[in-house]
Amino acid sequence: MAGPLAGLRIIEIAGIGPAPFCGMMLADHGAQVIRIDRPGAGTSFVPGIAADILARSRQSIVVDLKSPEGAAVVRDLCRDADGLIEGFRPGVMERLGLGPDILLQDNPRLVYGRMTGWGQDGPYAQSAGHDINYIALSGNLHTYGRAGQKPTAPANAVGDFGGGGMMLAFGMVSAILHAREGGKGQTIDCAMVDGAAVLSSMTWAFYATGQWRDEPGVNLLDTGAPCYDSYETADGKFVAIGPLEPQFYRELLRLLEAPDLPSNNMDAATWPEMGEALDRIFRTRTRDEWCALLEGTDTCFAPVLSLAEAPHHPHNQQRATFLTLDGITQPAPAPRYAETPNDVPRMSRRVGENTTEILAALGYSTLRIADLKAAGVIGG
């Protein structure tokens, strides 16, 4: 794979959600990522579809981590690697004989990335959890929702992927740069509860200066302000506006032909009146009619597109924001580089499809590979 991370070699212990997303990010940007899958995982990454988007651009080897011989294979894979990603509860890799103490002894420059929800320590460290729990404990979930209603989880983007996988990808690259500049390898404790908290840094800054009330749906960026909200249109679809700055708000008023709306969009006392007026106005036309009027203006406007619609919008099409691989529409790699452009991703089609070639590249003989397969240590 081409990209700015070309030449990096990452070992990924198969999992779900944030750790694979980290592996996808590194692979998208040029790293060689070898995914270690479990025996009996099936033939495809996600049953019922050709492949898992989060598993794209990987090589896959099947190894029984619970066997001493399998653990030895993983150690061999890590001896010359730049990094390892794992997403087990604290202590699991140690019980497999693959903890950072062992792997860093084998390879002192290895970056050992640990992806968990709660972190490697703390009262919750051994408890099960999901994105909604991590963003709840971080304070984020409390800020998502409309006034007087219960908190609303924003799918699993904030904990799993923003505060988890993306944060670990950043940490992996940072620690690998340190190791390559003469430093040592190290362990990264990447907890989604920590990462989610970091993502809300601006909210905490507002809160510290008295510009954020500690309740949802009453603040500038949480649907409290009518000029930063979504509105239903005449055809039952939605549009989103966000003209916070005075000049952008004035442009909205001009194009809406609504001079009677409050002139100061930052005056919270006028927000109820403003919200009711904007709701009435946007219901008078269809979404396409509003697009014809407001797209491309400085009103901070966009249509609210469904998953089925987003890839077909002219802006997304011109930028190739989405692509289709093996019949599966998915987001294209981002961001983009002027000097080291990424390759087009490829779908990883079958679990264990690269077992033999990966081990052969490590120096395993054909006979040894056959013996490991016969013993059930490896598969594919």
Side-chain angles (χ1 to χ4, degrees):
M1 298 290 290
L5 300 184
L8 293 188
R9 188 162 173 265
I10 306 294
I11 308 302
E12 174 191 346
I13 307 298
I16 59 172
F21 182 74
C22 173
M24 185 194 81
M25 289 296 299
L26 298 174
D28 276 353
H29 297 275
Q32 178 195 17
V33 181
I34 297 174
R35 173 171 165 144
I36 300 177
D37 286 287
R38 300 173 182 80
T43 56
S44 67
F45 290 95
V46 177
I49 66 173
D52 179 6
I53 293 171
L54 296 184
R56 69 189 184 191
S57 300
R58 313 284 221 289
Q59 293 175 294
S60 171
I61 176 173
V62 171
V63 180
D64 180 6
L65 300 180
K66 295 181 179 180
S67 71
E69 297 87 352
V73 170
V74 176
R75 290 180 66 177
D76 287 342
L77 285 167
C78 291
R79 289 181 201 280
D80 216 16
D82 294 286
L84 173 135
I85 303 166
E86 62 96 358
F88 293 128
R89 293 194 204 192
V92 171
M93 287 291 280
E94 283 81 354
R95 291 193 291 274
L96 294 172
L98 295 170
D101 53 337
I102 292 175
L103 296 189
L104 284 166
Q105 187 174 7
D106 291 344
N107 178 2
R109 66 182 183 85
L110 182 73
V111 173
Y112 195 112
R114 317 199 78 165
M115 181 79 262
T116 61
W118 305 116
Q120 296 298 309
D121 54 24
Y124 281 25
Q126 290 296 332
S127 301
H130 280 297
D131 178 293
I132 193 170
N133 310 120
Y134 313 137
I135 68 173
L137 198 70
S138 71
N140 290 53
L141 185 58
H142 178 69
T143 67
Y144 305 149
R146 296 189 176 274
Q149 298 182 18
K150 67 180 182 179
T152 301
N156 63 332
V158 176
D160 280 353
F161 299 120
M166 189 77 74
M167 201 69 69
L168 181 56
F170 171 77
M172 294 293 293
V173 173
S174 299
I176 289 170
L177 282 174
H178 170 74
R180 289 197 164 191
E181 290 297 321
K184 298 188 297 184
Q186 59 185 300
T187 302
I188 300 175
D189 178 0
C190 184
M192 286 173 259
V193 65
D194 299 344
V198 170
L199 291 179
S200 63
S201 295
M202 186 177 184
T203 303
W204 283 95
F206 285 151
Y207 180 56
T209 56
Q211 299 176 71
W212 191 277
R213 290 164 56 188
D214 197 11
E215 55 184 292
V218 297
N219 298 286
L220 186 63
L221 302 177
D222 64 356
T223 74
C227 62
Y228 199 86
D229 205 348
S230 60
Y231 291 92
E232 187 172 359
T233 57
D235 53 350
K237 298 180 181 180
F238 291 87
V239 296
I241 60 169
L244 300 176
E245 294 80 0
Q247 67 274 26
F248 300 152
Y249 180 64
R250 286 195 298 268
E251 180 67 358
L252 179 69
L253 298 187
R254 184 183 72 82
L255 291 171
L256 293 183
E257 298 180 350
D260 293 337
L261 277 172
S263 60
N264 181 6
N265 60 333
M266 293 296 145
D267 182 0
T270 69
W271 285 356
E273 172 194 350
M274 187 192 307
E276 291 176 3
L278 287 171
D279 184 68
R280 286 194 305 270
I281 290 170
F282 280 111
R283 289 178 186 272
T284 63
R285 304 188 192 186
T286 67
R287 189 183 69 182
D288 286 348
E289 289 172 331
W290 286 118
C291 286
L293 177 66
L294 299 176
E295 277 190 314
T297 70
D298 277 352
T299 57
C300 303
F301 167 89
V304 177
L305 301 179
S306 69
L307 297 181
E309 293 173 318
H312 303 290
H313 189 276
H315 184 85
N316 292 334
Q317 287 190 324
Q318 182 173 324
R319 288 188 53 79
T321 301
F322 297 88
L323 50 77
T324 300
L325 302 174
D326 294 357
I328 301 173
T329 300
Q330 57 199 274
R336 307 172 189 199
Y337 307 95
E339 299 297 330
T340 55
N342 298 331
D343 275 344
V344 175
R346 58 173 176 79
M347 298 306 289
S348 300
R349 292 177 177 82
R350 300 183 69 81
V351 169
E353 63 183 344
N354 309 109
T355 298
T356 298
E357 64 182 275
I358 290 170
L359 293 181
L362 284 178
Y364 283 40
S365 68
T366 302
L367 180 60
R368 186 179 180 192
I369 293 172
D371 287 343
L372 289 173
K373 283 188 177 181
V377 175
I378 62 173

